[in-house]
Amino acid sequence: MKQPKDKYEVVSEMGKRRGYFWQSYEIYGGVGGFITYGPLGSLLKRRLEEKFRRFYLQPLAILEIETSVIMPENVLEASGHVENFKEPTVECTKCKRKFRADHLLQEFGEMTDTETEKMALQSVVDELKSHNIRCPDCGGDFNKAEQFMTMFTTTIGPYSDSVGYGRPEAAQGIFVEFKRIFESARGRLPLGVAQIGHALRNEISPRQGPVRLREFTIIDIEFFFDPEDKKCLIINDVGDETLRFVLAENKLKGITEPVTITIKEALNKGIIKEEWQAYFMAQAKRFLVEMGVPEDQQRFIEKLDYERAHYSMQGFDQEVYLERWGWTEVSGHNYRTDFDLSRHMKASGVDLTAFKESEDGGKRFVPHVIEPSFGLDRLVYVALEYAYTKRNKRTVLSLPRDLTPMQVSVFPLMNKDGLLEKADEVYHLLVNEGFTVDWDSSGSIGRRYARADEVGTPLGITIDYGTLEDGTVTLRDRDSWKQVRSKLAELPSLLHGYFCNRLNFEDLGQIIER
RNA sequence: GCGGUCGUAGUCUAGCCUGGUUAGGACCCCGGCUUCCCAAGCCGGGUACUCGGGUUCGAAUCCCGGCGACCGCACCA
């Protein structure tokens, strides 16, 4: 704890002090894996969500739904989660170290993951014995095996013995409701459906603040298409976008240096198999750039066979470099094929196929799915870490202007001579225009600018004696500390222009030299 | 979950070893004065010994347990 503070530490301190986020249940000592967003944090999260909708969902007319967090057992049995979210672990009798039994069998027993997946708990131990697998560290042997269930379990109804789980992803809500959604979309394909909501995973040891939570907000997009008609019509919009890849074949050789490839090339060389997947990955990169993460701080990792989730046929993780934790996953891009819909079709007996007319009558088929999936809490943290800068020993949170919780702050230069009243007028004018406005009349003007900088408010509006005389105010820019003078009456339209990126700061008025 | 280190206000910290003052300081926050634009100054105010138990006349200090944090192992489908 005596080392120089890293960014996670300073961002967390600032987060607590100014109300971005902190660990939940602090007054009872805190519980790991849960965080609370304070007033500024929940605003930031909301803005990020809104930006995501604007940027990622709306251009493709992706539909958004909301389903419940508790899911009955049969849904997650059908999806394969009940089976796959259990991890068989064994403990060495000598050194007490714990291992994943299935990983041991795959590594030393030359078994495939499909073989180990099917095994019962006792046969895991038997197999370890029959393959004579011993502790890789000390050579001791294993006796007992335990299952660790990473889904939260509950019962549904007061006296009911029906088991329910907290959903480990929002995706299943979409698959389960596919029939009605598809119908209300009048059978259109391709069809994107998204859900932004909480998901639960009972992590064994979540020690990484907002980066690894037991309850978190996930953005799952299921993009359904006809596997025989899978052209992405807008792929050219992203064809020249370059992504940095760490490829599976290189990973096996121990090479982690990324290669930079355009989307076009990646598709031609078969690095990404599906055009829609390529499109979503390119957009994911662009989104992070707009959030303030430069290209060279991002990369895409191709998942190896055994690293992929049970439903995934090809998968990439988008990673962002964080100071404390290194490369950190912020989104996953999986080709889930028809795995989920087929499983639910089989388990429920309900037809989840699509129909497509053609000259010879048409065909019924189960749509395939490309899934981009984002961890929203990680994005919030990433935005904060990348925005956190210092200027003249003062903290400046340089969030993009469409993400800042507070858009403008109103400062009466003095607390007298009618300046307070005038400032109050300005405050209400802007609130009524729909802006998120802060108010600060405490301390010197410099101190107030500093406070606004620290929480990332991009514009300060100072009401001074000039305001009383000619109806002009001073606008101050968070990043450059430059000031311009503009007419109060024009403020609403100027600010609207500024916040939808039509106007730069310099366009807002007459530059002031001091 | 295991091992090691640790836990004093919103933040950083002194004190703990060797038990004994109103637990000290800095930043910060609030109010007032002052101040015509970048954490200025003056006055006043504010918040802390992680929780529970034990030893003791007396515990921030010693002992045990819980909770939490950090590092390592494992885990992160």
Side-chain angles (χ1 to χ4, degrees):
Chain A
M1 283 286 274
K2 290 286 145 62
Q3 276 109 33
K5 292 179 186 174
D6 63 17
K7 272 221 164 141
Y8 171 66
E9 210 167 338
V10 291
V11 169
S12 300
E13 275 170 16
M14 188 278 294
K16 270 193 219 171
R17 197 156 32 82
R18 304 306 304 269
Y20 272 99
F21 69 92
W22 55 82
Q23 188 181 31
S24 300
Y25 312 112
E26 267 183 329
I27 64 165
Y28 289 102
V31 181
F34 301 93
I35 59 164
T36 296
Y37 289 97
L40 293 177
S42 52
L43 265 174
L44 169 61
K45 189 175 170 187
R46 196 183 311 161
R47 297 229 192 276
L48 200 50
E49 223 177 290
E50 282 164 8
K51 184 180 173 71
F52 191 85
R53 289 191 173 95
R54 259 195 329 271
F55 185 94
Y56 216 87
L57 304 185
Q58 283 168 10
L60 292 172
I62 292 174
L63 308 173
E64 203 177 327
I65 66 163
E66 185 178 321
T67 70
S68 62
V69 167
I70 301 292
M71 296 191 133
E73 189 171 34
N74 50 8
V75 169
L76 290 161
E77 252 163 17
S79 70
H81 284 85
V82 172
E83 202 180 344
N84 285 281
F85 261 67
K86 278 182 191 151
E87 287 151 10
T89 57
V90 287
E91 194 182 84
C92 170
T93 49
K94 210 164 136 196
C95 68
K96 303 288 176 205
R97 197 160 279 190
K98 285 192 176 184
F99 297 91
R100 280 278 293 272
D102 51 340
H103 286 180
L104 287 173
L105 285 169
Q106 282 164 34
E107 200 174 334
F108 301 107
E110 287 169 11
M111 297 179 77
T112 66
D113 55 345
T114 34
E115 281 174 310
T116 57
E117 220 169 68
K118 280 182 279 187
M119 281 164 52
L121 207 51
Q122 186 50 47
S123 58
V124 165
V125 186
D126 296 342
E127 284 292 330
L128 283 171
K129 286 220 171 87
S130 72
H131 283 87
N132 197 26
I133 296 170
R134 300 184 149 268
C135 172
D137 276 14
C138 72
D141 49 18
F142 302 106
N143 53 2
K144 57 175 182 181
E146 280 174 359
Q147 292 278 32
F148 185 78
M149 164 68 93
T150 40
M151 285 197 290
F152 280 95
T153 313
T154 187
T155 50
I156 301 173
Y159 306 107
S160 164
D161 56 358
S162 79
V163 174
Y165 297 106
R167 63 180 182 195
E169 56 173 17
Q172 291 309 319
I174 297 174
F175 295 126
V176 165
E177 308 297 347
F178 177 73
K179 197 175 164 63
R180 279 210 187 276
I181 303 165
F182 191 51
E183 195 178 84
S184 73
R186 303 199 310 276
R188 126 186 155 221
L189 280 183
L191 172 68
V193 183
Q195 177 161 214
I196 303 175
H198 279 207
L200 304 168
R201 295 179 192 182
N202 202 359
E203 301 282 355
I204 295 172
S205 155
R207 286 182 194 169
Q208 300 167 18
V211 167
R212 230 170 118 217
L213 296 170
R214 291 189 165 118
E215 176 170 352
F216 57 100
T217 303
I218 199 169
I219 307 176
D220 276 340
I221 299 163
E222 308 307 319
F223 196 81
F224 299 92
F225 60 95
D226 177 355
E228 287 174 10
D229 177 17
K230 51 194 188 181
K231 284 220 88 56
C232 168
L233 298 175
I234 45 175
I235 194 69
N236 287 334
D237 293 0
V238 298
D240 295 326
E241 191 67 62
T242 55
L243 302 190
R244 286 158 29 99
F245 285 99
V246 177
L247 299 173
E249 54 179 66
N250 286 344
K251 254 161 82 177
L252 291 172
K253 291 183 219 149
I255 305 170
T256 55
E257 192 55 36
V259 290
T260 303
I261 305 174
T262 64
I263 289 291
K264 225 181 288 171
E265 269 179 273
L267 282 167
N268 288 341
K269 290 183 180 160
I271 291 169
I272 307 177
K273 290 183 185 124
E274 296 299 326
E275 288 188 357
W276 281 111
Q277 181 158 22
Y279 176 81
F280 283 119
M281 286 166 68
Q283 286 291 85
K285 177 215 160 179
R286 287 178 174 176
F287 186 75
L288 267 291
V289 168
E290 285 206 6
M291 272 177 54
V293 183
E295 303 196 21
D296 60 352
Q297 304 290 92
Q298 300 186 35
R299 66 180 193 185
F300 285 86
I301 303 269
E302 186 178 5
K303 304 299 267 184
L304 296 169
D305 287 348
Y306 66 87
E307 291 174 328
R308 281 201 306 271
H310 59 279
Y311 47 70
S312 173
M313 153 126 172
Q314 183 180 32
F316 293 88
D317 278 354
Q318 182 184 23
E319 298 186 331
V320 166
Y321 192 81
L322 292 177
E323 199 179 285
R324 176 174 291 195
W325 296 297
W327 290 102
T328 305
E329 178 188 353
V330 293
S331 78
H333 298 262
N334 284 293
Y335 181 25
R336 290 179 86 134
T337 66
D338 61 351
F339 180 88
D340 299 273
L341 285 183
S342 293
R343 297 270 297 220
H344 285 303
M345 204 157 101
K346 204 168 161 199
S348 67
V350 173
D351 179 23
L352 299 174
T353 57
F355 180 75
K356 195 172 234 174
E357 270 182 82
S358 60
E359 282 155 17
D360 50 359
K363 59 163 185 177
R364 292 217 150 264
F365 62 97
V366 181
H368 277 219
V369 162
I370 294 293
E371 177 196 69
S373 173
F374 292 77
L376 185 54
D377 309 275
R378 289 186 179 183
L379 294 181
V380 170
Y381 177 74
V382 164
L384 287 172
E385 176 163 322
Y386 274 86
Y388 190 95
T389 55
K390 289 272 178 190
R391 177 168 178 161
N392 296 2
K393 291 190 180 175
R394 286 165 32 168
T395 301
V396 179
L397 201 60
S398 285
L399 287 167
R401 66 180 77 150
D402 54 0
L403 292 183
T404 58
M406 289 293 162
Q407 295 179 300
V408 292
S409 199
V410 173
F411 307 121
L413 189 60
M414 299 290 152
N415 287 330
K416 57 179 185 186
D417 303 328
L419 288 174
L420 271 180
E421 291 75 5
K422 191 70 193 171
D424 191 56
E425 224 175 86
V426 175
Y427 176 86
H428 284 102
L429 167 79
L430 296 175
V431 167
N432 291 335
E433 283 289 329
F435 296 105
T436 324
V437 193
D438 204 1
W439 166 276
D440 193 349
S441 58
S442 153
S444 70
I445 189 71
R447 179 175 292 268
R448 286 179 268 166
Y449 288 152
R451 281 198 281 250
D453 286 345
E454 195 187 13
V455 297
T457 309
L459 293 178
I461 301 180
T462 305
I463 289 26
D464 53 29
Y465 291 96
T467 314
L468 301 179
E469 282 163 27
D470 62 3
T472 61
V473 293
T474 306
L475 296 185
R476 171 192 178 268
D477 178 44
R478 174 195 68 196
D479 296 319
S480 66
W481 298 4
K482 283 184 188 155
Q483 299 188 326
V484 296
R485 192 132 193 114
S486 12
K487 289 205 178 78
L488 199 44
E490 291 170 8
L491 219 43
S493 71
L494 287 172
L495 295 188
H496 283 300
Y498 176 81
F499 283 106
C500 51
N501 282 310
R502 274 202 316 270
L503 298 175
N504 295 319
F505 179 74
E506 287 76 12
D507 304 328
L508 298 181
Q510 205 65 31
I511 295 274
I512 306 173
E513 308 289 347
R514 282 195 204 276

